Amino acid sequence: MAVTRTFSIIKPDATRRNLTGAVTAKLEESGLRVVASKRIQMTKEQAEGFYGVHRERPFFGDLVSFMTSGPVVVQVLEGEDAVKRNRDVMGATNPADAAEGTIRKAFAESIEANSVHGSDSDENARIEIDFFFKPEEIVG
Ligand code: ATP
Ligand code: MG
């Protein structure tokens, strides 16, 4: 299995509850390594651009409001099969469906305020990493 990278966001519901460390610990325990990390306040334009694929979905406006409601921590994670490894430790989008031991089972408040984002493919990981990080900000 190849070592790859994925992109993660610790969402405002988690930073608000001071869970940055607790979420990061679960990522690290799953075998992922944080190779870039910064705490930012996303602008409306950034959130709309980042979630552009969901523009037509009924929850789009609420999602943009939520993602700009407080600071987030954007991270690049590295590990074997990083996209899948991260999706596995995140758990299902809706915490009601998330498996025991996952981040969303432990911490998510709702299907919207679900504590973390993770890329869903290697291609999207590359696009999302480039959206938030310069190459020199990533130190493996
Ligand atoms: P993410 O992309 O954040 O990693 P995901 O891939 O599990 O999560 P998506 O279907 O890509 O889920 O949805 C993106 C985000 O939009 C979700 O994480 C959640 O915050 C929000 N969302 C998804 N479905 C709903 C819904 N039905 N109602 C409200 N918010 C939703
Ligand atoms: Mg998604």
Side-chain angles (χ1 to χ4, degrees):
M1 199 80 61
V3 172
T4 59
R5 288 178 174 174
T6 190
F7 174 74
S8 168
I9 304 178
I10 303 176
K11 294 185 178 182
D13 67 285
T15 61
R16 180 165 38 77
R17 288 175 289 151
N18 206 23
L19 293 171
T20 298
V23 170
T24 303
K26 282 198 175 287
L27 296 172
E28 291 179 341
E29 282 159 17
S30 81
L32 292 161
R33 177 176 289 271
V34 180
V35 295
S37 184
K38 58 186 172 187
R39 184 175 173 102
I40 61 167
Q41 171 66 52
M42 247 195 238
T43 64
K44 184 164 180 278
E45 291 66 34
Q46 275 178 313
E48 284 174 350
F50 182 75
Y51 278 120
V53 293
H54 295 308
R55 198 170 286 276
E56 304 306 323
R57 308 276 283 275
F59 57 80
F60 181 71
D62 284 346
L63 179 59
V64 169
S65 297
F66 166 61
M67 291 300 290
T68 57
S69 68
V72 300
V73 180
V74 292
Q75 296 178 319
V76 181
L77 308 176
E78 192 173 85
E80 296 218 339
D81 206 4
V83 168
K84 181 175 186 302
R85 191 175 288 264
N86 185 38
R87 299 286 297 187
D88 285 350
V89 73
M90 287 164 60
T93 308
N94 186 346
D97 301 328
E100 219 45 69
T102 63
I103 291 168
R104 284 166 168 170
K105 175 74 177 182
F107 302 127
E109 294 181 318
S110 68
I111 191 170
E112 177 181 84
N114 59 6
S115 303
V116 278
H117 161 83
S119 308
D120 58 14
S121 68
D122 286 345
E123 189 191 351
N124 283 335
R126 275 190 287 275
I127 293 167
E128 293 174 358
I129 289 168
D130 287 349
F131 195 91
F132 286 103
F133 288 97
K134 300 187 194 114
E136 63 268 28
E137 293 177 312
I138 305 168
V139 184

